[in-house]
Amino acid sequence: MIKGDIMRKTIEQYISTLKKVTVDVFEVETFLKKQEQLQRDMLDYKELANVILELSEEGIIIPVRSSKPYAMDERIFNRYKKVRKLEDDEDLLKNEMLTAFNRRMSMVIYLKKVQQYLKDKEILLAISDFLQNQMQDEPFVSVNERSYQLIGNEKLLFSEKGSKILKNIGVTYEDLCCYQTYEPFFITK
């Protein structure tokens, strides 16, 4: 029978090798049984629940509250999500910023502001894809048209947010084969 620290180390090892984010307690149970060739009644479910609770309190996993309570110990849930360490995430994200985007995009500002990168990532990927697949004779269109084509929002690139993103990465309207147009202004008397 697996006890205390050994069970915890075994569960932590299992969680760290999971490729998916969700940790299913039943799968943890199955893994423990395979490790020790245990029968159902030989596994210490209270100890399993204690380890899961410890890992949850330490922020290694968080409960998926929409899942049901675990049948063998209702103090825990059936499913948990892995909490990735921010440092590990930041290293992965910085590596992504350096390798996944078109070389014409400067990612220096985002390397310093990883949280902002996460907020702007979808837009950055759309711009990178455009720059990567841009044809030699790409027709120039209005900023609104290009914005709609890239992001599905015709006002974004011309907005304060869009302008800031373009400034951060050193990309101009000309790089995106687009030009600024002004809305007509009418005065009625």
Side-chain angles (χ1 to χ4, degrees), residues 29-30 101 103 128 138 148 184 189:
E29 175 189 327
T30 305
F101 292 92
R103 60 181 170 74
S128 180
E138 186 75 43
Y148 186 78
K189 292 185 179 182

Side-chain angles (χ1 to χ4, degrees), residues 4-34:
D5 289 339
I6 297 170
M7 181 182 283
R8 181 185 167 113
K9 287 177 184 170
T10 306
I11 292 172
E12 283 181 320
Q13 174 194 1
Y14 174 74
I15 290 172
S16 70
T17 60
L18 279 177
K19 293 202 185 326
K20 59 185 181 174
V21 177
T22 305
V23 178
D24 188 309
V25 177
F26 180 72
E27 291 174 5
V28 173
E29 175 189 327
T30 305
F31 178 77
L32 290 171
K33 287 177 185 174
K34 284 181 184 173

Side-chain angles (χ1 to χ4, degrees), residues 161-176:
K161 177 182 178 178
S163 297
K164 188 173 183 176
I165 290 171
L166 292 177
K167 182 180 175 189
N168 285 346
I169 61 175
V171 172
T172 64
Y173 290 153
E174 190 173 316
D175 294 327
L176 296 175

Side-chain angles (χ1 to χ4, degrees), residues 71-82:
M72 299 309 228
D73 193 319
E74 293 198 356
R75 296 178 297 154
I76 62 174
F77 291 90
N78 279 335
R79 292 192 328 250
Y80 287 78
K81 283 193 176 192
K82 290 195 306 187

Side-chain angles (χ1 to χ4, degrees), residues 114-125:
V114 176
Q115 294 302 322
Q116 188 61 46
Y117 166 71
L118 290 172
K119 292 177 185 174
D120 297 343
K121 183 177 177 180
E122 187 177 324
I123 298 165
L124 294 168
L125 286 170

Side-chain angles (χ1 to χ4, degrees), residues 77-119:
F77 291 90
N78 279 335
R79 292 192 328 250
Y80 287 78
K81 283 193 176 192
K82 290 195 306 187
V83 177
R84 298 180 86 185
K85 294 180 181 148
L86 188 57
E87 303 84 42
D88 293 345
D89 279 352
E90 282 190 9
D91 289 343
L92 289 171
L93 291 171
K94 286 178 180 179
N95 186 44
E96 177 181 273
M97 284 184 245
L98 294 170
T99 58
F101 292 92
N102 185 278
R103 60 181 170 74
R104 290 190 271 176
M105 296 170 62
S106 170
M107 300 304 285
V108 173
I109 290 178
Y110 288 106
L111 287 168
K112 296 174 187 171
K113 299 178 179 179
V114 176
Q115 294 302 322
Q116 188 61 46
Y117 166 71
L118 290 172
K119 292 177 185 174

